[in-house]
Amino acid sequence: MFGRSGKGKGGSPAAVPGIVKPTRQRITAQDSISSKQVANGADALQAAPGTPPASGSSTPSTSRAERLARVLEAETVDIGELRKIGWSGIPHEHRALAWRLLLGYLPANRERRAATLERKRREYRDAVARYFDVNDDMRSDEEMHMKRQIAVDVPRTCPDVPLFHQSAMQQALERVLYVWSIRHPASGYVQGINDLITPFMFVFLDERVTGDVLAIDTSTLSADFISDVEADTFWCTTALLQGIQDNYTFAQPGIQRNVFKLKEIVHRIDAELYGHLEEQGLEFIQFAFRWMNCLLMRELRLELVVRLWDTYIAEGANMRVLHVYTCAALLSRFSRRLQSLEFQDLVMMLQHLPTQDWGERELSELLSQAFVWMSMFENAQNHLQL
């Protein structure tokens, strides 16, 4: 049931099913990563079944797409197999269903899905009617403050994606954010959550519209259509944030821990870059807070974020850990260039990383590197523990 209040974990990584992780090497706190270690780990990763696509691969292979279709067509979906295949990317025609299943929004059993979907969507509509579609004089001061902040942030959401600046989409964003915040009084609404609901809205629109979803006129969509997209977005956002909600509670302790962990990882994998940032007086929190808060939503194009989230959602409970290593891989990718810059230019570059021309190849390389480092380090003794 929905609450009425309006107040506005890490460990060792779970195995990606079907992926043979690189052989772990004992690494002490004094050790650094050699290029040979990284190469050996990458070779093991690329040779394993179900791993991220090799450099140069831009789309899931036909055979993997066919395997995914067979998994999804089963009377009872094998969620472990779905995670294994989905980790390397999900074709857009299967993405919406796969995300709903991986996040536990829909049951694995085909016969139960229609009733579950109807019940969940009805529950969301009832919540909108009860909490959003009421006069402002029925709201507490905290609820009014939260509602106003959401109204301020929604127009700033995905500034480079016109889809989310259409009136129908902005109203949908406001409803989802407000109901989610009412439902989660421990955090309430926190800036950044507005970004995190957009990949879901994009995917669930893409599932049901013909043509380029980014070019549609949402004013032509029926109220029931938009309500269904909102409901699916709400429940999947809830599932995604369940494992990282301490990113958004008071003082955002989850983000603080993740930024500290990122700093320690970079110290191990790229001592020269780490030393340069220290020399320039640049604190990791100054640039990495946003990376943790928005899950790289503002560093990558929306289409690449959606592909990134295929892997994050397939990773399941270990998504938080993988994300930190992905951030480390992102930072290391621009290491040489960053080491040539002084403080002001460092800040500017880290706030506007040159990823505009990235495609799935670059993202695949990033995830491959993140996975290798996570496999090598996460169980190492006495360091790099969340």
Side-chain angles (χ1 to χ4, degrees):
M1 297 299 292
F2 289 87
R4 188 69 185 95
S5 170
K7 292 193 300 182
K9 277 183 170 232
S12 61
V16 177
I19 294 182
V20 179
K21 292 192 174 183
T23 302
R24 297 189 187 277
Q25 304 191 32
R26 185 72 66 186
I27 302 175
T28 69
Q30 288 75 38
D31 287 338
S32 61
I33 295 182
S34 69
S35 59
K36 183 177 179 181
Q37 285 174 310
V38 172
N40 288 343
D43 289 344
L45 177 63
Q46 294 298 340
T51 57
S55 299
S57 173
S58 60
T59 57
S61 67
T62 301
S63 61
R64 191 162 54 81
E66 291 172 348
R67 285 169 55 212
L68 178 61
R70 287 196 297 271
V71 168
L72 292 174
E73 289 166 1
E75 284 302 312
T76 300
V77 170
D78 183 336
I79 298 299
E81 183 69 9
L82 180 58
R83 289 193 188 282
K84 178 179 69 174
I85 301 171
W87 205 98
S88 301
I90 301 171
H92 76 93
E93 64 269 23
H94 298 305
R95 182 172 280 127
L97 175 58
W99 281 18
R100 291 186 187 103
L101 289 165
L102 289 169
L103 288 165
Y105 173 40
L106 287 184
N109 183 277
R110 179 190 294 273
E111 291 185 0
R112 295 172 49 204
R113 287 180 208 156
T116 298
L117 202 59
E118 181 181 356
R119 174 173 55 82
K120 288 290 193 178
R121 288 173 173 174
R122 183 174 61 249
E123 187 174 348
Y124 172 76
R125 288 194 298 270
D126 290 346
V128 170
R130 183 176 180 184
Y131 301 120
F132 188 86
D133 295 336
V134 297
N135 293 328
D136 285 347
D137 58 11
M138 297 180 63
R139 306 183 204 274
S140 68
D141 290 344
E142 286 181 297
E143 289 169 345
M144 279 304 303
H145 174 74
M146 182 171 66
K147 186 171 183 285
R148 283 192 292 266
Q149 187 61 58
I150 290 171
V152 168
D153 288 348
V154 162
R156 302 170 178 170
T157 302
C158 290
D160 298 326
V161 183
L163 171 68
F164 293 111
H165 295 272
Q166 298 184 40
S167 177
M169 285 297 94
Q170 294 204 343
Q171 292 173 32
L173 290 170
E174 287 190 23
R175 287 188 290 267
V176 173
L177 288 168
Y178 187 82
V179 173
W180 187 90
S181 302
I182 290 289
R183 178 67 178 84
H184 297 84
S187 63
Y189 173 70
V190 176
Q191 289 175 306
I193 297 176
N194 55 310
D195 290 301
L196 298 183
I197 70 174
T198 56
F200 290 118
M201 198 160 282
F202 171 86
V203 166
F204 296 135
L205 283 169
D206 188 45
E207 175 187 33
R208 301 175 63 176
V209 302
T210 302
D212 182 3
V213 66
L214 293 176
I216 64 171
D217 178 0
T218 56
S219 67
T220 64
L221 303 178
S222 71
D224 286 344
F225 181 106
I226 292 178
S227 178
D228 288 348
V229 169
E230 284 181 40
D232 293 355
T233 296
F234 170 82
W235 290 111
C236 288
T237 299
T238 299
L240 180 81
L241 296 185
Q242 185 174 358
I244 58 172
Q245 193 170 350
D246 60 351
N247 281 6
Y248 309 104
T249 54
F250 178 73
Q252 299 181 271
I255 289 179
Q256 301 291 336
R257 287 196 302 272
N258 288 345
V259 170
F260 178 78
K261 184 180 180 75
L262 174 63
K263 182 177 180 180
E264 291 298 302
I265 293 169
V266 173
H267 192 194
R268 298 289 171 241
I269 66 174
D270 197 336
E272 290 184 359
L273 175 59
Y274 180 89
H276 182 68
L277 297 179
E278 289 273 295
E279 180 184 311
Q280 292 298 317
L282 182 60
E283 297 290 338
F284 275 68
I285 197 73
Q286 292 176 267
F287 62 88
F289 180 91
R290 186 174 80 180
W291 297 5
M292 303 303 171
N293 193 49
C294 301
L295 299 182
L296 298 178
M297 277 289 308
R298 300 184 189 179
E299 281 59 52
L300 300 170
R301 293 183 292 110
L302 179 60
E303 297 91 332
L304 284 186
V305 170
V306 169
R307 166 60 194 92
L308 174 66
W309 282 24
D310 287 341
T311 298
Y312 281 4
I313 290 171
E315 185 72 11
N318 209 43
M319 181 193 79
R320 177 201 293 270
V321 178
L322 178 61
H323 177 65
V324 177
Y325 282 93
T326 302
C327 291
L330 182 64
L331 194 60
S332 180
R333 190 176 183 97
F334 297 105
S335 176
R336 183 174 299 181
R337 189 165 167 184
L338 290 168
Q339 288 180 57
S340 70
L341 302 176
E342 296 186 354
F343 181 86
Q344 195 62 42
D345 292 330
L346 270 173
V347 172
M348 289 297 295
M349 181 174 173
L350 287 166
Q351 290 179 343
H352 303 90
L353 289 173
T355 61
Q356 307 94 315
D357 298 327
W358 276 25
E360 289 195 22
R361 173 181 175 175
E362 289 81 4
L363 184 63
S364 178
E365 291 171 351
L366 195 75
L367 287 168
S368 294
Q369 184 65 82
F371 182 82
V372 169
W373 285 339
M374 184 173 74
S375 299
M376 293 175 69
F377 277 111
E378 199 54 32
N379 278 348
Q381 290 184 328
N382 301 324
H383 70 300
L384 298 182
Q385 299 297 314
L386 272 178

